């Protein structure tokens, strides 16, 4: 019995020593593989290393340096920490066995996929690594630039996280090709998609149409046509909107809201049926609600407002999320969106048609129009 107890004690001690050794070895391995030296030791990491060394996270006026682990290994919980370490094993496999990123060309080929994966991980853990250094509660917004103040205020109001806006701070942004011609082509497939039961038709894009009494106007995307009648490949319909005194060449959707419906240009006023006149105190202008009869091709019209709104939504998500998270349409008023889009459009590759469509989509779904176009 004594010998059995002795073996049991020795076995227990050996097990404890083995456990301590395994634990210590694991801790050492975890720490060693978290060092920047280890991270950049592979040839595939030369490109991100150079990008990091040229960033504000490497060198700045305050002398604070964020190492690889500071941004890529969350310390907020054991789960996120271990998960990140386990997921990193595939990087070792891709480097040692597969050699997935042998050169610059291969790296650029995979840059977008790698970036999206990191963005998704940081989104999932609420930008835990960012918040290990940066705290929204500690920010003095009044000392930030006007643009930063505005975006941080929006972020706090809409529960956005750091990575929603702060992409490309250290590593170069990937090329994000947008095939809007294909998207526009998909949208055009809805042309002529309506039935006698549909009360309202919508224009798919800016298009020239004829006035019933002669002449022409340019319909804007989302322009609403009512009291319509189809004949062959043409539709005769009524278009209604508002004209502001001094700017009669533009037809707007609502009183005081500059959501463009059509460009009237040289249309004589006697061809417009005036429904009523109103003085608007907000714009300090006289406005007239008018009606006009037009003829338009079936192919430019649809009753599928859902498809139109999806196209506008995709424009917002695609072009307006490169520098910051896409802002919901109901964040600004219809008139505010004009200035917001105009201030941002030159930072994107949007065409004039895309800018026009995006602006009207955001205006129609703005906070003072929510529910009116659905």
């Amino acid at each position: 019995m004594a010998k059995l107890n002795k073996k049991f004690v020795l076995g227990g001690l050996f097990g404890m020593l083995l456990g301590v050794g395994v634990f210590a070895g694991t801790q050492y391995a975890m720490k060693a593989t978290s060092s920047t030296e280890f991270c950049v030791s592979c040839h595939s990491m030369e490109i991100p290393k150079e990008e990091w060394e040229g960033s504000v996270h490497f060198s700045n006026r305050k002398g604070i340096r964020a190492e690889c682990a500071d941004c890529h290994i969350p310390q907020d919980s054991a789960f996120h920490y271990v998960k990140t370490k386990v997921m990193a094993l595939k990087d070792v496999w891709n480097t040692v066995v597969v050699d997935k990123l042998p050169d610059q060309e291969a790296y650029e080929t995979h840059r977008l996929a790698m970036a999206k994966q990191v963005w998704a991980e940081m989104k999932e853990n609420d930008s835990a690594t960012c918040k290990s250094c940066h705290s929204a509660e500690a920010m003095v917004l009044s000392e930030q630039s006007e643009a930063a103040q505005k975006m941080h205020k929006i972020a706090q109001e809409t529960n956005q996280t750091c990575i929603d806006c702060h992409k490309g701070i250290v590593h170069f942004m990937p090329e994000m090709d947008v095939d809007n011609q294909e998207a526009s082509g998909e949208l055009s497939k809805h042309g002529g998609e309506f039935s006698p039961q549909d009360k309202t038709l919508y224009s798919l894009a800016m298009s020239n149409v004829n006035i019933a009494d002669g002449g022409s106007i340019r319909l804007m995307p989302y322009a609403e046509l009512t009291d319509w009648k189809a004949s062959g490949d043409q539709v005769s319909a009524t278009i209604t909107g508002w004209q502001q005194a001094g700017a009669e060449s533009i037809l707007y959707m609502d009183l005081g809201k500059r959501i463009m419906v059509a460009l009237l240009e040289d249309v004589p006023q006697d061809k417009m049926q005036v429904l009523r006149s109103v003085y608007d105190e907000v714009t300090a202008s006289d406005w007239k609600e008018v009606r006009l009869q037009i003829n338009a091709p079936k192919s430019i019209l649809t009753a599928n407002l859902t498809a139109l709104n999806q196209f506008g939504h995709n424009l917002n998500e695609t072009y307006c999320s490169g520098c910051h998270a896409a802002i919901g349409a109901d964040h600004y008023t219809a008139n505010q969106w004009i200035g917001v889009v105009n201030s941002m459009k030159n930072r994107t590759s949007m065409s004039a048609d895309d800018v026009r469509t995006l602006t009207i989509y955001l205006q129609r779904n703005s906070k003072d129009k929510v529910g009116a176009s659905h």
Side-chain angles (χ1 to χ4, degrees), residues 57-325:
H57 273 186
F58 181 83
S59 179
N60 51 71
R61 62 187 176 86
K62 294 185 177 180
I64 300 172
R65 178 169 296 170
E67 305 286 345
C68 300
D70 294 327
C71 295
H72 292 283
I73 303 179
Q75 306 285 337
D76 63 316
S77 71
F79 172 76
H80 284 144
Y81 180 83
V82 174
K83 178 185 176 183
T84 301
K85 284 294 186 178
V86 172
M87 294 298 292
L89 291 175
K90 77 177 188 318
D91 296 329
V92 177
W93 174 270
N94 286 333
T95 299
V96 177
V97 180
V98 180
D99 196 16
K100 184 178 179 179
L101 306 172
D103 52 34
Q104 178 90 35
E105 183 179 357
Y107 193 91
E108 295 303 332
T109 299
H110 296 284
R111 185 189 286 271
L112 177 58
M114 293 188 294
K116 284 184 174 180
Q117 179 182 329
V118 173
W119 296 340
E121 291 169 356
M122 297 185 78
K123 178 78 171 177
E124 180 187 355
N125 62 41
D126 194 24
S127 303
T129 54
C130 302
K131 293 179 178 180
S132 66
C133 291
H134 305 280
S135 169
E137 290 75 18
M139 288 181 182
V140 182
L141 295 182
S142 61
E143 295 183 5
Q144 298 177 352
S145 67
E146 184 177 345
Q149 290 181 46
K150 180 186 295 184
M151 294 313 301
H152 280 137
K153 186 173 184 295
I154 292 173
Q156 291 174 4
E157 291 172 352
T158 56
N159 295 318
Q160 294 177 10
T161 189
C162 308
I163 197 60
D164 286 326
C165 299
H166 296 285
K167 300 180 178 77
I169 291 180
V170 176
H171 304 297
F172 297 164
M173 285 288 288
E175 291 291 332
M176 302 177 72
D177 295 329
V178 180
D179 190 351
N180 246 29
Q181 287 187 342
E182 181 179 348
S184 298
E186 286 297 315
L187 183 63
S188 67
K189 292 179 181 179
H190 296 286
E193 189 177 291
F194 50 85
S195 68
Q197 287 72 41
D198 295 311
K199 293 184 178 181
T200 305
L201 304 183
Y202 305 89
S203 60
L204 290 168
M206 187 171 73
S207 308
N208 289 321
V209 299
N210 295 322
I211 302 173
D213 296 333
S216 64
I217 64 172
R218 276 189 286 174
L219 287 184
M220 293 293 106
Y222 294 91
E224 297 184 10
L225 281 64
T226 58
D227 301 324
W228 60 273
K229 183 178 180 181
S231 177
D233 61 355
Q234 292 288 309
V235 171
S236 60
T238 298
I239 182 171
T240 305
W242 290 82
Q243 289 179 303
Q244 183 180 11
E248 285 83 1
S249 62
I250 303 175
L251 191 66
Y252 294 108
M253 182 177 179
D254 279 327
L255 170 67
K257 295 182 177 65
R258 296 185 174 88
I259 308 173
M260 290 198 297
V261 173
L263 298 180
L264 307 178
E265 297 176 340
D266 299 326
V267 178
Q269 287 299 300
D270 59 9
K271 291 191 176 183
M272 312 290 295
Q273 179 186 357
V274 179
L275 302 178
R276 55 175 168 153
S277 297
V278 177
Y279 178 79
D280 178 47
E281 294 185 356
V282 176
T283 57
S285 299
D286 290 314
W287 291 72
K288 292 184 297 184
E289 186 179 20
V290 298
R291 178 183 294 162
L292 187 65
Q293 300 298 315
I294 64 168
N295 297 316
K298 279 185 177 180
S299 59
I300 69 165
L301 304 174
T302 186
N304 193 339
L305 182 58
T306 300
L308 262 171
N309 279 335
Q310 186 61 52
F311 182 67
H313 173 78
N314 290 343
L315 286 175
N316 189 32
E317 290 293 323
T318 300
Y319 288 108
C320 303
S321 61
C323 302
H324 56 77

